[in-house]
Amino acid sequence: MTKRTAALLLAGFIPGAALAQNGEPFEAYAQKIPGTEVTIQMVPVKAGEFLLGSPAKEKGRNADEGPQQKVKIDAFWMGAYELTFDQFDIYTDAEKDKTPLPDGMTRPSPPYIDLTLGMGKSGGYPANSMSQYSALMYCRWLYNKTGVFYRLPTEAEWEYACRAGSATAYPFGDDSGQLDEYAWTVANSGEVYHKVGELKPNAWGLYDMLGNVAEWTLDQYDEKGLQKAAAVNPWNKPTESTPRTIKGGHYLDEASAARCASRLKSEESWNFRDPQIPRSKWWNADAPFIGFRIVRPLKQPTKEEAEQFFAAVADKFVGAR
Amino acid sequence: MENEKAQTFHGQSRRDFVKKTGVLAGGLIAAPYLSSQANYFSGAPDVIKVALIGCGGRGTGAAVQALSTKQNVRLVAMADAFRDRLDGSYNNIKEAIKATPERLQVPDENKYTGFDGYKEAIAKADVVILTTPPGFRPIHFEEAVRQGKHVFMEKPVATDPAGIAKVLATAEIAKQKKLNVIVGLQRHYQTSYRELYKRVQDGMIGDILSMQVWWNQGALWVKPRKPEYTEMEYQMRNWYYFNWLCGDHIVEQHIHNIDVGNWFMGETPVTAVGMGGRAIRTGKEYGEIYDHHYVEYRYKNGVVMNSQCRHWKDSVSRVDEELVGTKGRVICDRGVILDHKGKPLYQFDRKNHNQPYQQEHDELFAAIAKGEYKFADTQQGAEATLSAIIGRLATYSGQSIAWDKALASGLSIQPERYAFDAPPPVMPDAEGNYAYAKPGVTKYFS
């Protein structure tokens, strides 16, 4: 990773840091979305070290999950839940957002068909079907609104948080027989996503990391990405609009695709039934199974760095999916 | 086809006809016909020239799909009421086909704007794509066929019964001229629906007893009014919210699901009765259309199709069709056929999903290149459209609307004159609000 991209990741390594920049304690909090009663529950994830990827003998393993790399991760907060439509729609729906949009930002245009596909919207269902661009623009909007820098997790941050200290296929061990207690997969989902937080969390208090909707990360997908992973805060910075890395598996996946180390690669075809040109920048007509959760790096960037970050990941790849 | 039309329009079943001949309704109908009058002459013998009439997002998509077929296709002319829409479309097409830039050959003199530009654009082409707001479809289709062109036209094909009558009359001429016509009811070109249809025809669910169809979704776009707009321009830019242009969302979108009901039944409904209104979307920016409709369509043999559509944000959405038969049920969106105990009899393999919008163009241009006459979708497109229209007339009036009476009514909701300084058929009041239909008060076919 170059110095410039390291700066973009915006999180210097601060061992044992217990306080955020502005002096607030490094503990769970609820981010209120200004002008609304809606909050986003954030959970602290301490800095640490772990083995990224899966061992060659792990059941169900794919070639792109190795070789395992020891990596250090800086501290951050992560959404305890997948982002919900109740939270997402304040950005998409002008009637719910009483304050003006920040300069230069637009709201996602409504899709031609409702991409929840009848699986549920209000009341705690995960926001789904958005492009990665859309997820990043949500982070940018939230940053502009709150002054707190939020972004998608890197692939390594995501896996570190998912494992929650474990080194097994699932955060609770290697036995997929227990997965139903933690994750909505094809075995128990009824082929629809469910309200967030109905099942057990992992050891760090994160719900639905596996299953339900799969989650966008900030990384360009590279089959051999793990070989190249940096030792500290690895991030395969985007160079193309597609493919990006998705983690966690989803409600249509088998248990083997909903392991901590499993990776999914986004595809252009995820929007193949969108009949319009230009295709929606914001939505994926054929990927109802993706969503995301947000992170807040403990070491917050300057305003300039934050703007540089969004320029590099969002403006440069408008419509990335 | 003669047979099919005569039967359907005398209120009889097309189903037996379809069963006997064993062909896909609306799909691969007539035998290949080698045309000596293949209608394209372009210098290069294999070049097929296309004109795009209606340059919105969907028209642009359709043009790109036409230009992405295996044939030697060229876009040579474009028409839209608005130059800004046309230019945006041109740029988006250019971007989308940048690997084959030679396929876009629309010089400035072949870009036509205003209400009448379509005539000259059509003249430049062998195949025309009709993707304006549906209120214009009958006159554009008539002109395309008058000029002897093959047609891809988007659904719906009209917004009122008079428009349907014109489209059906034009279909007869298209048939005589052996012009291929595909209507963008793309479920007919979607592999999963074709597989389900085959199995229903083969009796997997027995006889159909009832049907349930949905287009329930959230809100759509609105374009803000600008001071320089005439009322006509405002309505044209916000065409979704005005019936003469759009037909209401029961016609513009829900037609897909109603069409599936007709297709699988092999018939059209005899009557429609229902309810609807503006519950959520009440502002003046939403023109005159309703935000929900619930219609009970009754077929000749008593089968009922319950149809619901709504534009309600934050409510449960579903876009689907479910058909219940004596031996089982079909759930179309899931591509599954179940028996009455819930046991799967058939599951469509998701891996075989195709891109139906591309499929329409692949099949159309392949036929045209071979000089074949294979596609006459107009009848089915008109039947689906009229089915949706009688749904609207039923929810608007609160009365039971008969298919035959509606078709014979000649009811037109079009303006007397198409021009930017002409008054549209519905005008706002002093506060900018539009009158909308009131069941029990609004009347048709008086």
PDB file of all heavy atoms in Angstrom, chain A residues 93 95-96 110 112-114 116 118 122 191 272-273 275-278, chain B residues 57-58 60-61 92 155 215 217 253 313-314 317 350 354-355 357:
ATOM      1  N   ASP A  93     -35.073   9.572   0.793  1.00  0.00           N
ATOM      2  CA  ASP A  93     -36.420  10.140   0.726  1.00  0.00           C
ATOM      3  C   ASP A  93     -36.424  11.566   1.293  1.00  0.00           C
ATOM      4  O   ASP A  93     -36.339  11.765   2.505  1.00  0.00           O
ATOM      5  CB  ASP A  93     -37.367   9.235   1.521  1.00  0.00           C
ATOM      6  CG  ASP A  93     -38.823   9.660   1.399  1.00  0.00           C
ATOM      7  OD1 ASP A  93     -39.091  10.804   0.948  1.00  0.00           O
ATOM      8  OD2 ASP A  93     -39.701   8.864   1.769  1.00  0.00           O
ATOM      9  N   GLU A  95     -38.690  13.538   1.806  1.00  0.00           N
ATOM     10  CA  GLU A  95     -39.762  13.842   2.764  1.00  0.00           C
ATOM     11  C   GLU A  95     -39.383  13.432   4.182  1.00  0.00           C
ATOM     12  O   GLU A  95     -39.965  13.909   5.159  1.00  0.00           O
ATOM     13  CB  GLU A  95     -41.056  13.123   2.361  1.00  0.00           C
ATOM     14  CG  GLU A  95     -41.724  13.759   1.162  1.00  0.00           C
ATOM     15  CD  GLU A  95     -42.959  12.995   0.724  1.00  0.00           C
ATOM     16  OE1 GLU A  95     -43.579  12.306   1.552  1.00  0.00           O
ATOM     17  OE2 GLU A  95     -43.295  13.085  -0.473  1.00  0.00           O
ATOM     18  N   LYS A  96     -38.423  12.521   4.317  1.00  0.00           N
ATOM     19  CA  LYS A  96     -38.014  12.078   5.650  1.00  0.00           C
ATOM     20  C   LYS A  96     -36.830  12.870   6.165  1.00  0.00           C
ATOM     21  O   LYS A  96     -36.550  12.867   7.354  1.00  0.00           O
ATOM     22  CB  LYS A  96     -37.649  10.589   5.603  1.00  0.00           C
ATOM     23  CG  LYS A  96     -38.864   9.721   5.379  1.00  0.00           C
ATOM     24  CD  LYS A  96     -38.494   8.261   5.286  1.00  0.00           C
ATOM     25  CE  LYS A  96     -39.750   7.450   5.019  1.00  0.00           C
ATOM     26  NZ  LYS A  96     -39.442   6.102   4.554  1.00  0.00           N
ATOM     27  N   PRO A 110     -35.331   6.917  -7.299  1.00  0.00           N
ATOM     28  CA  PRO A 110     -36.053   5.690  -6.955  1.00  0.00           C
ATOM     29  C   PRO A 110     -35.922   4.641  -8.066  1.00  0.00           C
ATOM     30  O   PRO A 110     -35.914   4.988  -9.241  1.00  0.00           O
ATOM     31  CB  PRO A 110     -37.509   6.154  -6.816  1.00  0.00           C
ATOM     32  CG  PRO A 110     -37.575   7.524  -7.358  1.00  0.00           C
ATOM     33  CD  PRO A 110     -36.197   8.075  -7.454  1.00  0.00           C
ATOM     34  N   TYR A 112     -37.049   1.588 -10.616  1.00  0.00           N
ATOM     35  CA  TYR A 112     -38.298   1.372 -11.366  1.00  0.00           C
ATOM     36  C   TYR A 112     -39.196   0.373 -10.655  1.00  0.00           C
ATOM     37  O   TYR A 112     -40.404   0.516 -10.640  1.00  0.00           O
ATOM     38  CB  TYR A 112     -37.970   0.879 -12.779  1.00  0.00           C
ATOM     39  CG  TYR A 112     -39.179   0.658 -13.658  1.00  0.00           C
ATOM     40  CD1 TYR A 112     -39.989   1.728 -14.028  1.00  0.00           C
ATOM     41  CD2 TYR A 112     -39.509  -0.606 -14.119  1.00  0.00           C
ATOM     42  CE1 TYR A 112     -41.092   1.538 -14.834  1.00  0.00           C
ATOM     43  CE2 TYR A 112     -40.615  -0.803 -14.925  1.00  0.00           C
ATOM     44  CZ  TYR A 112     -41.398   0.266 -15.286  1.00  0.00           C
ATOM     45  OH  TYR A 112     -42.500   0.063 -16.081  1.00  0.00           O
ATOM     46  N   ILE A 113     -38.604  -0.653 -10.082  1.00  0.00           N
ATOM     47  CA  ILE A 113     -39.407  -1.527  -9.225  1.00  0.00           C
ATOM     48  C   ILE A 113     -38.819  -1.497  -7.822  1.00  0.00           C
ATOM     49  O   ILE A 113     -37.664  -1.174  -7.633  1.00  0.00           O
ATOM     50  CB  ILE A 113     -39.497  -2.988  -9.724  1.00  0.00           C
ATOM     51  CG1 ILE A 113     -38.136  -3.672  -9.673  1.00  0.00           C
ATOM     52  CG2 ILE A 113     -40.097  -3.056 -11.107  1.00  0.00           C
ATOM     53  CD1 ILE A 113     -38.240  -5.176  -9.752  1.00  0.00           C
ATOM     54  N   ASP A 114     -39.666  -1.836  -6.848  1.00  0.00           N
ATOM     55  CA  ASP A 114     -39.232  -1.829  -5.461  1.00  0.00           C
ATOM     56  C   ASP A 114     -38.346  -3.045  -5.215  1.00  0.00           C
ATOM     57  O   ASP A 114     -38.802  -4.179  -5.305  1.00  0.00           O
ATOM     58  CB  ASP A 114     -40.470  -1.863  -4.565  1.00  0.00           C
ATOM     59  CG  ASP A 114     -40.109  -1.641  -3.118  1.00  0.00           C
ATOM     60  OD1 ASP A 114     -38.975  -1.981  -2.732  1.00  0.00           O
ATOM     61  OD2 ASP A 114     -40.964  -1.142  -2.375  1.00  0.00           O
ATOM     62  N   THR A 116     -37.008  -4.277  -2.636  1.00  0.00           N
ATOM     63  CA  THR A 116     -37.136  -5.119  -1.454  1.00  0.00           C
ATOM     64  C   THR A 116     -37.836  -6.430  -1.813  1.00  0.00           C
ATOM     65  O   THR A 116     -37.790  -7.387  -1.048  1.00  0.00           O
ATOM     66  CB  THR A 116     -37.960  -4.439  -0.349  1.00  0.00           C
ATOM     67  OG1 THR A 116     -39.293  -4.251  -0.807  1.00  0.00           O
ATOM     68  CG2 THR A 116     -37.371  -3.090   0.033  1.00  0.00           C
ATOM     69  N   GLY A 118     -40.750  -7.416  -1.696  1.00  0.00           N
ATOM     70  CA  GLY A 118     -41.758  -7.922  -0.769  1.00  0.00           C
ATOM     71  C   GLY A 118     -41.187  -8.494   0.521  1.00  0.00           C
ATOM     72  O   GLY A 118     -41.925  -9.041   1.330  1.00  0.00           O
ATOM     73  N   SER A 122     -40.014  -1.152   6.276  1.00  0.00           N
ATOM     74  CA  SER A 122     -39.992  -0.380   7.526  1.00  0.00           C
ATOM     75  C   SER A 122     -39.923  -1.304   8.739  1.00  0.00           C
ATOM     76  O   SER A 122     -40.392  -2.437   8.679  1.00  0.00           O
ATOM     77  CB  SER A 122     -41.270   0.457   7.635  1.00  0.00           C
ATOM     78  OG  SER A 122     -41.386   1.281   6.527  1.00  0.00           O
ATOM     79  N   GLU A 191     -35.790 -18.062   2.340  1.00  0.00           N
ATOM     80  CA  GLU A 191     -35.367 -17.350   1.130  1.00  0.00           C
ATOM     81  C   GLU A 191     -35.772 -15.877   1.120  1.00  0.00           C
ATOM     82  O   GLU A 191     -36.013 -15.286   0.077  1.00  0.00           O
ATOM     83  CB  GLU A 191     -35.837 -18.063  -0.147  1.00  0.00           C
ATOM     84  CG  GLU A 191     -35.356 -19.506  -0.182  1.00  0.00           C
ATOM     85  CD  GLU A 191     -35.379 -20.146  -1.561  1.00  0.00           C
ATOM     86  OE1 GLU A 191     -35.686 -19.445  -2.528  1.00  0.00           O
ATOM     87  OE2 GLU A 191     -35.078 -21.347  -1.635  1.00  0.00           O
ATOM     88  N   PHE A 272     -28.601  -6.817 -14.307  1.00  0.00           N
ATOM     89  CA  PHE A 272     -28.864  -7.118 -15.712  1.00  0.00           C
ATOM     90  C   PHE A 272     -30.309  -6.905 -16.139  1.00  0.00           C
ATOM     91  O   PHE A 272     -30.590  -6.756 -17.301  1.00  0.00           O
ATOM     92  CB  PHE A 272     -28.291  -8.479 -16.118  1.00  0.00           C
ATOM     93  CG  PHE A 272     -29.186  -9.686 -15.961  1.00  0.00           C
ATOM     94  CD1 PHE A 272     -29.099 -10.723 -16.878  1.00  0.00           C
ATOM     95  CD2 PHE A 272     -30.063  -9.805 -14.907  1.00  0.00           C
ATOM     96  CE1 PHE A 272     -29.892 -11.851 -16.731  1.00  0.00           C
ATOM     97  CE2 PHE A 272     -30.850 -10.924 -14.757  1.00  0.00           C
ATOM     98  CZ  PHE A 272     -30.772 -11.958 -15.674  1.00  0.00           C
ATOM     99  N   ARG A 273     -31.221  -6.880 -15.192  1.00  0.00           N
ATOM    100  CA  ARG A 273     -32.609  -6.664 -15.613  1.00  0.00           C
ATOM    101  C   ARG A 273     -33.036  -5.193 -15.580  1.00  0.00           C
ATOM    102  O   ARG A 273     -34.191  -4.887 -15.832  1.00  0.00           O
ATOM    103  CB  ARG A 273     -33.559  -7.522 -14.783  1.00  0.00           C
ATOM    104  CG  ARG A 273     -33.690  -8.927 -15.360  1.00  0.00           C
ATOM    105  CD  ARG A 273     -34.779  -9.699 -14.683  1.00  0.00           C
ATOM    106  NE  ARG A 273     -34.459  -9.892 -13.272  1.00  0.00           N
ATOM    107  CZ  ARG A 273     -35.282 -10.500 -12.412  1.00  0.00           C
ATOM    108  NH1 ARG A 273     -36.443 -10.938 -12.803  1.00  0.00           N
ATOM    109  NH2 ARG A 273     -34.925 -10.640 -11.157  1.00  0.00           N
ATOM    110  N   PRO A 275     -33.782  -2.180 -17.274  1.00  0.00           N
ATOM    111  CA  PRO A 275     -33.973  -2.002 -18.715  1.00  0.00           C
ATOM    112  C   PRO A 275     -33.580  -0.629 -19.245  1.00  0.00           C
ATOM    113  O   PRO A 275     -33.648  -0.385 -20.441  1.00  0.00           O
ATOM    114  CB  PRO A 275     -35.481  -2.212 -18.881  1.00  0.00           C
ATOM    115  CG  PRO A 275     -36.068  -1.743 -17.596  1.00  0.00           C
ATOM    116  CD  PRO A 275     -35.040  -2.050 -16.527  1.00  0.00           C
ATOM    117  N   GLN A 276     -33.200   0.272 -18.337  1.00  0.00           N
ATOM    118  CA  GLN A 276     -32.962   1.643 -18.756  1.00  0.00           C
ATOM    119  C   GLN A 276     -31.480   1.894 -18.997  1.00  0.00           C
ATOM    120  O   GLN A 276     -30.629   1.266 -18.410  1.00  0.00           O
ATOM    121  CB  GLN A 276     -33.452   2.612 -17.668  1.00  0.00           C
ATOM    122  CG  GLN A 276     -34.819   2.267 -17.152  1.00  0.00           C
ATOM    123  CD  GLN A 276     -35.782   3.431 -17.162  1.00  0.00           C
ATOM    124  OE1 GLN A 276     -35.475   4.525 -17.608  1.00  0.00           O
ATOM    125  NE2 GLN A 276     -36.965   3.195 -16.690  1.00  0.00           N
ATOM    126  N   ILE A 277     -31.211   2.850 -19.857  1.00  0.00           N
ATOM    127  CA  ILE A 277     -29.854   3.361 -20.061  1.00  0.00           C
ATOM    128  C   ILE A 277     -29.914   4.858 -19.815  1.00  0.00           C
ATOM    129  O   ILE A 277     -30.769   5.515 -20.407  1.00  0.00           O
ATOM    130  CB  ILE A 277     -29.341   3.101 -21.493  1.00  0.00           C
ATOM    131  CG1 ILE A 277     -29.305   1.602 -21.811  1.00  0.00           C
ATOM    132  CG2 ILE A 277     -27.970   3.750 -21.692  1.00  0.00           C
ATOM    133  CD1 ILE A 277     -28.159   0.840 -21.194  1.00  0.00           C
ATOM    134  N   PRO A 278     -29.050   5.470 -19.016  1.00  0.00           N
ATOM    135  CA  PRO A 278     -28.024   4.760 -18.266  1.00  0.00           C
ATOM    136  C   PRO A 278     -28.624   3.895 -17.162  1.00  0.00           C
ATOM    137  O   PRO A 278     -29.638   4.249 -16.573  1.00  0.00           O
ATOM    138  CB  PRO A 278     -27.179   5.895 -17.675  1.00  0.00           C
ATOM    139  CG  PRO A 278     -28.083   7.066 -17.615  1.00  0.00           C
ATOM    140  CD  PRO A 278     -29.042   6.922 -18.748  1.00  0.00           C
TER     141      PRO A 278
ATOM    142  N   GLY B  57     -35.117   7.045 -20.627  1.00  0.00           N
ATOM    143  CA  GLY B  57     -34.239   5.977 -20.155  1.00  0.00           C
ATOM    144  C   GLY B  57     -34.571   4.640 -20.789  1.00  0.00           C
ATOM    145  O   GLY B  57     -33.689   3.873 -21.169  1.00  0.00           O
ATOM    146  N   ARG B  58     -35.855   4.353 -20.908  1.00  0.00           N
ATOM    147  CA  ARG B  58     -36.243   3.066 -21.480  1.00  0.00           C
ATOM    148  C   ARG B  58     -35.963   3.026 -22.988  1.00  0.00           C
ATOM    149  O   ARG B  58     -35.496   2.015 -23.521  1.00  0.00           O
ATOM    150  CB  ARG B  58     -37.724   2.777 -21.193  1.00  0.00           C
ATOM    151  CG  ARG B  58     -38.205   1.470 -21.775  1.00  0.00           C
ATOM    152  CD  ARG B  58     -37.458   0.249 -21.201  1.00  0.00           C
ATOM    153  NE  ARG B  58     -37.553  -0.886 -22.095  1.00  0.00           N
ATOM    154  CZ  ARG B  58     -36.519  -1.487 -22.689  1.00  0.00           C
ATOM    155  NH1 ARG B  58     -35.291  -1.090 -22.445  1.00  0.00           N
ATOM    156  NH2 ARG B  58     -36.710  -2.488 -23.493  1.00  0.00           N
ATOM    157  N   THR B  60     -33.704   4.693 -24.572  1.00  0.00           N
ATOM    158  CA  THR B  60     -32.250   4.602 -24.713  1.00  0.00           C
ATOM    159  C   THR B  60     -31.799   3.161 -24.482  1.00  0.00           C
ATOM    160  O   THR B  60     -30.973   2.627 -25.227  1.00  0.00           O
ATOM    161  CB  THR B  60     -31.583   5.563 -23.718  1.00  0.00           C
ATOM    162  OG1 THR B  60     -32.140   6.863 -23.898  1.00  0.00           O
ATOM    163  CG2 THR B  60     -30.085   5.626 -23.937  1.00  0.00           C
ATOM    164  N   GLY B  61     -32.372   2.538 -23.463  1.00  0.00           N
ATOM    165  CA  GLY B  61     -32.057   1.134 -23.197  1.00  0.00           C
ATOM    166  C   GLY B  61     -32.417   0.253 -24.382  1.00  0.00           C
ATOM    167  O   GLY B  61     -31.638  -0.600 -24.807  1.00  0.00           O
ATOM    168  N   ASN B  92     -25.690   8.927 -23.951  1.00  0.00           N
ATOM    169  CA  ASN B  92     -25.716   7.680 -23.186  1.00  0.00           C
ATOM    170  C   ASN B  92     -25.573   6.459 -24.093  1.00  0.00           C
ATOM    171  O   ASN B  92     -24.957   5.465 -23.715  1.00  0.00           O
ATOM    172  CB  ASN B  92     -26.994   7.584 -22.361  1.00  0.00           C
ATOM    173  CG  ASN B  92     -26.971   8.540 -21.173  1.00  0.00           C
ATOM    174  OD1 ASN B  92     -25.922   8.772 -20.588  1.00  0.00           O
ATOM    175  ND2 ASN B  92     -28.115   9.107 -20.838  1.00  0.00           N
ATOM    176  N   LYS B 155     -44.750  -1.436 -24.094  1.00  0.00           N
ATOM    177  CA  LYS B 155     -46.072  -1.450 -23.500  1.00  0.00           C
ATOM    178  C   LYS B 155     -46.239  -0.186 -22.700  1.00  0.00           C
ATOM    179  O   LYS B 155     -45.223   0.407 -22.344  1.00  0.00           O
ATOM    180  CB  LYS B 155     -46.282  -2.657 -22.601  1.00  0.00           C
ATOM    181  CG  LYS B 155     -45.120  -3.099 -21.718  1.00  0.00           C
ATOM    182  CD  LYS B 155     -44.332  -2.092 -20.907  1.00  0.00           C
ATOM    183  CE  LYS B 155     -45.071  -1.368 -19.806  1.00  0.00           C
ATOM    184  NZ  LYS B 155     -44.170  -0.481 -18.995  1.00  0.00           N
ATOM    185  N   TRP B 215     -48.598  -5.455  -8.574  1.00  0.00           N
ATOM    186  CA  TRP B 215     -47.468  -4.552  -8.791  1.00  0.00           C
ATOM    187  C   TRP B 215     -47.535  -3.530  -7.659  1.00  0.00           C
ATOM    188  O   TRP B 215     -48.075  -2.439  -7.807  1.00  0.00           O
ATOM    189  CB  TRP B 215     -47.508  -3.865 -10.162  1.00  0.00           C
ATOM    190  CG  TRP B 215     -46.206  -3.150 -10.453  1.00  0.00           C
ATOM    191  CD1 TRP B 215     -45.699  -2.080  -9.778  1.00  0.00           C
ATOM    192  CD2 TRP B 215     -45.234  -3.471 -11.460  1.00  0.00           C
ATOM    193  NE1 TRP B 215     -44.468  -1.727 -10.290  1.00  0.00           N
ATOM    194  CE2 TRP B 215     -44.166  -2.562 -11.328  1.00  0.00           C
ATOM    195  CE3 TRP B 215     -45.159  -4.443 -12.460  1.00  0.00           C
ATOM    196  CZ2 TRP B 215     -43.039  -2.591 -12.163  1.00  0.00           C
ATOM    197  CZ3 TRP B 215     -44.049  -4.464 -13.281  1.00  0.00           C
ATOM    198  CH2 TRP B 215     -43.002  -3.547 -13.134  1.00  0.00           C
ATOM    199  N   GLN B 217     -45.401  -1.307  -5.134  1.00  0.00           N
ATOM    200  CA  GLN B 217     -44.055  -0.775  -4.952  1.00  0.00           C
ATOM    201  C   GLN B 217     -44.100   0.611  -4.331  1.00  0.00           C
ATOM    202  O   GLN B 217     -45.162   1.100  -3.982  1.00  0.00           O
ATOM    203  CB  GLN B 217     -43.327  -0.729  -6.297  1.00  0.00           C
ATOM    204  CG  GLN B 217     -43.930   0.283  -7.225  1.00  0.00           C
ATOM    205  CD  GLN B 217     -42.972   0.772  -8.307  1.00  0.00           C
ATOM    206  OE1 GLN B 217     -43.387   1.072  -9.389  1.00  0.00           O
ATOM    207  NE2 GLN B 217     -41.696   0.849  -8.018  1.00  0.00           N
ATOM    208  N   GLN B 253     -47.585   0.138 -15.554  1.00  0.00           N
ATOM    209  CA  GLN B 253     -46.718  -0.898 -14.975  1.00  0.00           C
ATOM    210  C   GLN B 253     -47.440  -2.218 -14.728  1.00  0.00           C
ATOM    211  O   GLN B 253     -46.947  -3.281 -15.084  1.00  0.00           O
ATOM    212  CB  GLN B 253     -46.130  -0.400 -13.641  1.00  0.00           C
ATOM    213  CG  GLN B 253     -45.056   0.641 -13.836  1.00  0.00           C
ATOM    214  CD  GLN B 253     -44.530   1.158 -12.510  1.00  0.00           C
ATOM    215  OE1 GLN B 253     -45.284   1.581 -11.643  1.00  0.00           O
ATOM    216  NE2 GLN B 253     -43.225   1.147 -12.346  1.00  0.00           N
ATOM    217  N   LYS B 313     -44.969   4.130  -0.589  1.00  0.00           N
ATOM    218  CA  LYS B 313     -43.655   3.862  -0.010  1.00  0.00           C
ATOM    219  C   LYS B 313     -43.825   3.282   1.394  1.00  0.00           C
ATOM    220  O   LYS B 313     -44.836   3.491   2.055  1.00  0.00           O
ATOM    221  CB  LYS B 313     -42.814   5.133   0.010  1.00  0.00           C
ATOM    222  CG  LYS B 313     -43.342   6.236   0.893  1.00  0.00           C
ATOM    223  CD  LYS B 313     -42.422   7.443   0.797  1.00  0.00           C
ATOM    224  CE  LYS B 313     -42.891   8.521   1.751  1.00  0.00           C
ATOM    225  NZ  LYS B 313     -42.077   9.734   1.634  1.00  0.00           N
ATOM    226  N   ASP B 314     -42.825   2.543   1.825  1.00  0.00           N
ATOM    227  CA  ASP B 314     -42.776   1.950   3.166  1.00  0.00           C
ATOM    228  C   ASP B 314     -43.889   0.934   3.434  1.00  0.00           C
ATOM    229  O   ASP B 314     -44.208   0.650   4.584  1.00  0.00           O
ATOM    230  CB  ASP B 314     -42.794   3.045   4.246  1.00  0.00           C
ATOM    231  CG  ASP B 314     -41.648   4.021   4.075  1.00  0.00           C
ATOM    232  OD1 ASP B 314     -40.578   3.592   3.612  1.00  0.00           O
ATOM    233  OD2 ASP B 314     -41.813   5.209   4.389  1.00  0.00           O
ATOM    234  N   SER B 317     -43.911  -4.581  -0.563  1.00  0.00           N
ATOM    235  CA  SER B 317     -43.959  -4.555  -2.023  1.00  0.00           C
ATOM    236  C   SER B 317     -44.065  -5.981  -2.558  1.00  0.00           C
ATOM    237  O   SER B 317     -43.668  -6.944  -1.903  1.00  0.00           O
ATOM    238  CB  SER B 317     -42.701  -3.900  -2.576  1.00  0.00           C
ATOM    239  OG  SER B 317     -41.576  -4.713  -2.303  1.00  0.00           O
ATOM    240  N   ARG B 350     -32.435 -20.790 -11.424  1.00  0.00           N
ATOM    241  CA  ARG B 350     -32.026 -19.381 -11.555  1.00  0.00           C
ATOM    242  C   ARG B 350     -30.851 -19.191 -12.513  1.00  0.00           C
ATOM    243  O   ARG B 350     -30.693 -18.137 -13.109  1.00  0.00           O
ATOM    244  CB  ARG B 350     -31.617 -18.814 -10.196  1.00  0.00           C
ATOM    245  CG  ARG B 350     -32.772 -18.496  -9.288  1.00  0.00           C
ATOM    246  CD  ARG B 350     -32.287 -17.666  -8.096  1.00  0.00           C
ATOM    247  NE  ARG B 350     -33.363 -17.491  -7.147  1.00  0.00           N
ATOM    248  CZ  ARG B 350     -33.618 -18.337  -6.154  1.00  0.00           C
ATOM    249  NH1 ARG B 350     -32.871 -19.401  -5.984  1.00  0.00           N
ATOM    250  NH2 ARG B 350     -34.621 -18.134  -5.327  1.00  0.00           N
ATOM    251  N   ASN B 354     -32.452 -15.289 -18.223  1.00  0.00           N
ATOM    252  CA  ASN B 354     -31.885 -14.513 -19.330  1.00  0.00           C
ATOM    253  C   ASN B 354     -32.209 -13.043 -19.117  1.00  0.00           C
ATOM    254  O   ASN B 354     -32.859 -12.674 -18.141  1.00  0.00           O
ATOM    255  CB  ASN B 354     -32.427 -15.004 -20.676  1.00  0.00           C
ATOM    256  CG  ASN B 354     -33.925 -14.762 -20.805  1.00  0.00           C
ATOM    257  OD1 ASN B 354     -34.631 -14.630 -19.820  1.00  0.00           O
ATOM    258  ND2 ASN B 354     -34.395 -14.701 -22.024  1.00  0.00           N
ATOM    259  N   GLN B 355     -31.732 -12.204 -20.015  1.00  0.00           N
ATOM    260  CA  GLN B 355     -32.043 -10.783 -19.965  1.00  0.00           C
ATOM    261  C   GLN B 355     -33.178 -10.578 -20.972  1.00  0.00           C
ATOM    262  O   GLN B 355     -32.918 -10.471 -22.166  1.00  0.00           O
ATOM    263  CB  GLN B 355     -30.804  -9.975 -20.356  1.00  0.00           C
ATOM    264  CG  GLN B 355     -30.615  -8.642 -19.679  1.00  0.00           C
ATOM    265  CD  GLN B 355     -31.697  -7.617 -19.928  1.00  0.00           C
ATOM    266  OE1 GLN B 355     -32.797  -7.905 -20.395  1.00  0.00           O
ATOM    267  NE2 GLN B 355     -31.401  -6.393 -19.597  1.00  0.00           N
ATOM    268  N   TYR B 357     -35.125  -8.222 -21.891  1.00  0.00           N
ATOM    269  CA  TYR B 357     -35.151  -7.013 -22.727  1.00  0.00           C
ATOM    270  C   TYR B 357     -34.208  -7.173 -23.919  1.00  0.00           C
ATOM    271  O   TYR B 357     -34.468  -6.690 -25.010  1.00  0.00           O
ATOM    272  CB  TYR B 357     -34.734  -5.791 -21.906  1.00  0.00           C
ATOM    273  CG  TYR B 357     -35.615  -5.536 -20.719  1.00  0.00           C
ATOM    274  CD1 TYR B 357     -35.265  -5.996 -19.459  1.00  0.00           C
ATOM    275  CD2 TYR B 357     -36.817  -4.845 -20.855  1.00  0.00           C
ATOM    276  CE1 TYR B 357     -36.067  -5.770 -18.359  1.00  0.00           C
ATOM    277  CE2 TYR B 357     -37.626  -4.611 -19.761  1.00  0.00           C
ATOM    278  CZ  TYR B 357     -37.245  -5.070 -18.514  1.00  0.00           C
ATOM    279  OH  TYR B 357     -38.047  -4.849 -17.428  1.00  0.00           O
TER     280      TYR B 357
END
